Amino acid sequence: MAASQRLTHVLVTLALLILCVLMVLYPAETWHAGVRGLSIWWDVLFPSLFPFLVLSELLLGFGIVHFLGTLLNPLMRPLFRVPGSGGFVFAVSCASGYPTGAKLTAQLWEQKLVTREEGERLVAFTTSSDPIFMIGAVSVGFFHNVAIAPLLVASHYAAAFLVGMLMRFHGGTAKGPQPDISSASPSEQIPRNRLVRAIYAMHEARKADGRVFGELLRHAVSSSLRLIIIVGGLVVFFSVIMELLVQTGWLGGLYGITEQLLRYSGLPPSLSPSMVGGLFEVTLGAKEAGGVSTSIPLIYKVAAAAFVLSWGGLSVHAQIMSILSNTPMRYGPFLFARAIHALIAPVLVLLLWTPMMGRSASPVLMDNGFIPTLSTYAPDWGLIVLTGVIVFASIIMLLLLLTILSYIFKPRRHVKK
């Protein structure tokens, strides 16, 4: 074991030295790649992540997560084998994008609201792209076709839902019934009504936190800034690495392998730049998919973008690893879930294309006059935050509705007297 660790350290050191040499040999390309990565972070990631990171910290401190967790527990336990608080994590992640799901899961683990295996299941399906990136940056900015946005969003989130249901089989079976998170305080008798229990859990969580609003806000802003700076650094770092690999031509072999795999799968080999670029960085891969030759059918280009968005890129993987490093949660289950998500999403694009798009490039359920003719995308912080809030509220309402339906259709148990 010690020998393998020494070999790993030597290889990593050698790779870093080669990277330094390449940065010296290609200074202009390195600078431009760094600026491009910084622009992606400032224009897209910062406005879509930072407000929701701060709000999620505040909601945790005020006990809203405990409130929603108690209400959603009957739905999240059977479907995903995670606590009801996982519904809150899923909603925030869909609204703000990666790596918010991992950040909130790590916080739930710190508060002992999830076990290691529950946290691994939760991170597996709550790591997703945000809707404004799929609609604005990908559909409008890269594809110049806003009509594909509903298909991209539907396939991406449906695939995440399926991944969550598949990952429920991850880990051993817990012995005995899983208690609600509202049972944290034994000082008082917990009411039987679930809504009252949810309010009780929120009150107990707020008392246990004990911080005044000013202190809570300060801590939320400082911790969110630390994470968002780490995310930005990783985006710039992988942007530079990708550019250096392109300049040196070392990606040629990987392009060839990808082309052969696509050809054997019956897919256009010209999609290989998108697949390889998306392997490292999601924005680059999605941009390559939108810029593929017009001779390639649109359905295949959208499927390639769905693959890239679901995989997330090694930049996102590094962000998740940095967040999970302070917890016992492992990277392996997350890697497996990303691979499954990246396989399911393109298949859903192919299956949903005819029902949603028909034979044209416009959704069959939408009137052509309703679709705006946009060709450029300019990030707008207000639009990003507003879209995220709407998505968060919509998912929470949908989960609550499903929970109510599960109550209605749940078979009643008759207690024998």
Side-chain angles (χ1 to χ4, degrees):
M1 184 65 180
S4 63
Q5 288 181 344
R6 286 196 296 268
L7 178 61
T8 301
H9 291 162
V10 171
L11 293 177
V12 171
T13 303
L14 181 61
L16 292 176
L17 290 175
I18 293 175
L19 181 62
C20 290
V21 172
L22 292 177
M23 292 175 66
V24 173
L25 294 177
Y26 300 97
E29 291 80 0
T30 299
W31 185 84
H32 286 296
V35 171
R36 184 170 60 249
L38 186 62
S39 176
I40 293 171
W41 174 74
W42 178 254
D43 290 336
V44 179
L45 296 179
F46 194 98
S48 64
L49 285 177
F50 182 72
F52 289 95
L53 290 174
V54 175
L55 287 175
S56 61
E57 290 263 6
L58 294 176
L59 292 176
L60 276 169
F62 277 94
I64 301 297
V65 176
H66 295 71
F67 175 82
L68 293 175
T70 305
L71 291 180
L72 297 175
N73 199 66
L75 176 68
M76 303 299 291
R77 283 287 181 195
L79 285 180
F80 308 114
R81 287 181 64 200
V82 298
S85 52
F88 172 82
V89 177
F90 183 58
V92 175
S93 179
C94 290
S96 59
Y98 18 66
T100 311
K103 168 66 172 170
L104 292 178
T105 303
Q107 290 178 311
L108 294 182
W109 180 83
E110 291 174 358
Q111 297 186 9
K112 303 186 186 305
L113 299 181
V114 295
T115 63
R116 185 190 71 174
E117 291 180 346
E118 289 174 344
E120 290 171 351
R121 297 187 202 112
L122 191 55
V123 173
F125 76 95
T126 59
T127 301
S128 59
S129 180
D130 61 284
I132 198 65
F133 179 74
M134 288 186 281
I135 297 171
V138 179
S139 302
V140 177
F142 300 153
F143 280 83
H144 307 291
N145 186 355
V146 73
I148 67 172
L151 181 62
L152 266 180
V153 173
S155 62
H156 185 72
Y157 291 141
F161 189 87
L162 293 176
V163 168
M165 297 189 69
L166 291 175
M167 288 300 292
R168 75 181 308 277
F169 301 104
H170 164 66
T173 304
K175 298 181 180 179
Q178 294 290 333
D180 291 349
I181 60 174
S182 57
S183 59
S185 176
S187 59
E188 302 178 28
Q189 185 177 1
I190 301 176
R192 295 180 60 86
N193 182 276
R194 186 165 291 273
L195 179 60
V196 178
R197 264 195 292 166
I199 299 174
Y200 175 86
M202 179 176 65
H203 175 67
E204 290 295 314
R206 180 60 187 145
K207 286 201 307 183
D209 185 275
R211 291 174 292 177
V212 298
F213 179 75
E215 182 183 358
L216 184 61
L217 179 62
R218 179 186 60 81
H219 182 268
V221 171
S222 61
S223 63
S224 300
L225 277 176
R226 284 196 298 269
L227 177 60
I228 203 69
I229 290 174
I230 293 174
V231 169
L234 289 171
V235 170
V236 172
F237 180 70
F238 276 92
S239 178
V240 170
I241 289 179
M242 186 65 188
E243 180 63 27
L244 293 177
L245 291 177
V246 170
Q247 293 297 325
T248 55
W250 290 353
L251 290 181
L254 191 54
Y255 283 143
I257 295 174
T258 307
E259 287 178 0
Q260 292 298 325
L261 291 175
L262 291 172
R263 187 175 288 109
Y264 290 147
S265 303
L267 300 173
S270 56
L271 292 175
S272 61
S274 170
M275 311 292 278
V276 174
L279 178 67
F280 291 92
E281 213 285 310
V282 61
T283 306
L284 180 61
K287 185 176 182 180
E288 290 287 346
V292 175
S293 172
T294 55
S295 61
I296 303 300
L298 181 61
I299 182 175
Y300 294 124
K301 295 194 286 186
V302 175
F307 172 88
V308 170
L309 290 168
S310 301
W311 169 252
L314 294 182
S315 174
V316 171
H317 286 240
Q319 297 168 26
I320 302 299
M321 290 178 65
S322 66
I323 294 173
L324 299 184
S325 61
N326 296 323
T327 72
M329 288 179 279
R330 298 162 294 184
Y331 170 69
F334 171 79
L335 177 62
F336 174 77
R338 289 301 90 216
I340 297 298
H341 196 174
L343 292 176
I344 294 177
V347 173
L348 289 179
V349 168
L350 300 178
L351 294 176
L352 296 175
W353 185 269
T354 300
M356 295 187 67
M357 303 289 288
R359 297 180 179 272
S360 64
S362 299
V364 297
L365 298 180
M366 296 175 64
D367 183 84
N368 289 336
F370 179 77
I371 303 174
T373 56
L374 299 175
S375 58
T376 58
Y377 168 63
D380 179 79
W381 286 36
L383 178 62
I384 290 174
V385 175
L386 178 61
T387 304
V389 171
I390 293 174
V391 170
F392 170 76
S394 300
I395 293 180
I396 289 295
M397 294 302 296
L398 176 61
L399 293 176
L400 289 174
L401 177 61
L402 292 176
T403 304
I404 294 173
L405 292 177
S406 67
Y407 271 120
I408 295 175
F409 294 104
K410 184 178 180 180
R412 304 295 186 203
R413 294 182 180 180
H414 299 282
V415 181
K416 296 182 179 179
K417 295 183 179 180

